[in-house]
Amino acid sequence: MQSNKELQLLVEKAKRFSKDGKVADYIPALGKEDGNDLAITIYKTDNSYFHAGNFEKKFTLQSISKVLSLALVLMDRGEDYVFQKVGMEPTGDPFNSIAKLETLKPSKPLNPMINAGALAVTNMIKGKDLTEKWERLIQFVRALANDQQITYNEEVARSEFETAHLNRALCFFMKQNNIIEGDVESLIDLYTKQCAIEMNCYDLARIGAVFALNGFDPDSGERLIPEHIVRICKTFMVTCGMYNASGEFAIKVGVPAKSGVSGGIFAVVPNRYGIGIFGPALDEKGNSIAGLKLLEMLANEFEFSIF
Ligand code: GLU
């Protein structure tokens, strides 16, 4: 990538695909987004960056936050504890499916990128109460983005809290099976705030650079996440990060990535770039339709694939 102008041309091309997608509205507040939006920041590990589209526009992380809560919980509890409660296998099912929880014995969510697994992970964040757990999570995210202003979108969090009946069902099922403990309403409160953490493409790409550098802060050189934990997170991103289109994405793009129903995509090109994309029109699997096209174009042009 040589210039913002070059990137802008790719964004214009990819944007044409937005019309075939649809903005998510099962969380009512997300339905207000403009399906034509498409923005990207590519943050290079040498601290230079490229932008295109409305890259300052904030969006909520939704499922992208699952990677960050997983990193924190692995740091809090260690692998053995976490993987007693959550598995390591892709599902091929929709992100909010309850089906496998009931059929697998012993019952545990297949991985931390689906809702059941992510709820179990959020339940493991250390802290004496909800406030302390939330503070620890948001401080971790702020450190990764090097931005103390990052917080959550109250309207989106409330909108999801009021409508998250399926997520409540997953929690009650897991509580019955001793995967989660404590009060389900408090967990849904924490999880909906986590999913509503709001930032722009630049912040997300900057977090991506920390992952591209295996846990080091690109500015200060400080270690923010242990290397083996970054490796676990990136592996889950490859195997389960793009919903039940993760296999196709691995072939077409070939880098660790996680998407969210807000239309965000968080991608990591090891040792090279962190990438943040926002394009709220989604395809039928729940991935940003224009965002995927944009990543495909970039991957072809700049030989991203790690495979
Ligand atoms: N907050 C959303 C939910 O739990 C996240 C889903 C997603 O982005 O995949 O339904």
Side-chain angles (χ1 to χ4, degrees):
M1 181 58 46
Q2 302 299 328
S3 67
N4 286 341
K5 218 168 138 203
E6 198 184 338
L7 191 55
Q8 187 64 42
L9 286 174
L10 294 181
V11 164
E12 295 308 326
K13 265 197 205 167
K15 221 177 175 162
R16 295 184 204 136
F17 293 86
S18 298
K19 65 172 185 351
D20 300 326
K22 201 175 161 308
V23 173
D25 57 6
Y26 77 97
I27 298 172
L30 292 182
K32 296 179 180 168
E33 293 296 347
D34 176 358
N36 282 317
D37 267 343
L38 182 63
I40 181 169
T41 298
I42 301 181
Y43 193 107
K44 293 168 84 172
T45 47
D46 67 2
N47 284 311
S48 57
Y49 47 85
F50 294 107
H51 295 300
N54 187 4
F55 59 87
E56 276 166 320
K57 175 146 198 244
K58 288 186 181 166
F59 55 93
T60 58
L61 292 182
Q62 299 304 329
S63 273
I64 297 169
S65 70
K66 294 170 179 174
V67 178
L68 310 181
S69 54
L70 176 65
L72 179 64
V73 161
L74 285 167
M75 285 158 71
D76 273 359
R77 307 271 184 182
E79 285 163 64
D80 292 347
Y81 184 91
V82 173
F83 294 121
Q84 265 169 30
K85 311 234 175 229
V86 185
M88 300 183 189
E89 301 301 335
T91 69
D93 294 331
F95 67 97
N96 53 6
S97 173
I98 200 165
K100 295 255 167 58
L101 269 185
E102 201 181 7
T103 52
L104 286 176
K105 295 281 174 269
S107 173
K108 82 177 183 184
L110 272 164
N111 70 67
M113 300 291 114
I114 52 172
N115 279 11
L119 285 157
V121 165
T122 300
N123 188 240
M124 289 185 251
I125 295 174
K126 275 193 177 163
K128 67 174 183 316
D129 54 20
L130 189 69
T131 313
E132 194 176 305
K133 289 177 190 192
W134 165 251
E135 271 309 308
R136 293 192 59 253
L137 176 64
I138 196 69
Q139 289 303 347
F140 179 58
V141 175
R142 286 173 183 158
L144 295 175
N146 191 27
D147 182 349
Q148 286 306 309
Q149 305 307 315
I150 289 176
T151 184
Y152 72 103
N153 179 314
E154 282 183 35
E155 186 196 351
V156 174
R158 195 176 325 111
S159 178
E160 182 170 11
F161 185 83
E162 283 166 1
T163 53
H165 310 304
L166 197 45
N167 283 338
R168 283 184 175 82
L170 293 171
C171 288
F172 283 116
F173 200 97
M174 290 192 288
K175 190 163 174 171
Q176 179 72 35
N177 288 290
N178 300 315
I179 303 290
I180 67 166
E181 53 191 38
D183 177 41
V184 167
E185 285 307 290
S186 303
L187 174 56
I188 294 289
D189 191 358
L190 181 58
Y191 174 79
T192 49
K193 285 193 173 81
Q194 169 192 314
C195 290
I197 293 174
E198 194 175 46
M199 61 181 70
N200 60 28
C201 288
Y202 174 84
D203 294 319
L204 190 57
R206 210 263 180 205
I207 296 178
V210 176
F211 281 72
L213 289 168
N214 293 318
F216 287 110
D217 184 290
D219 280 298
S220 67
E222 188 191 338
R223 177 165 287 291
L224 301 178
I225 312 173
E227 183 164 359
H228 73 285
I229 291 182
V230 175
R231 186 177 56 75
I232 294 171
C233 292
K234 285 192 298 192
T235 312
F236 276 124
M237 289 163 75
V238 168
T239 56
C240 329
M242 302 299 284
Y243 303 114
N244 35 341
S246 299
E248 186 179 340
F249 184 83
I251 289 173
K252 292 188 171 163
V253 181
V255 297
K258 180 76 200 88
S259 59
V261 289
S262 52
I265 304 180
F266 170 61
V268 177
V269 186
N271 305 311
R272 290 167 71 189
Y273 314 121
I275 299 178
I277 291 181
F278 175 59
L282 308 181
D283 64 15
E284 73 287 353
K285 300 258 172 84
N287 291 310
S288 168
I289 193 162
L292 279 184
K293 284 288 169 202
L294 182 56
L295 276 173
E296 273 177 47
M297 289 176 199
L298 286 164
N300 284 334
E301 206 160 322
F302 302 101
E303 297 182 356
F304 279 1
S305 180
I306 60 170
F307 298 106

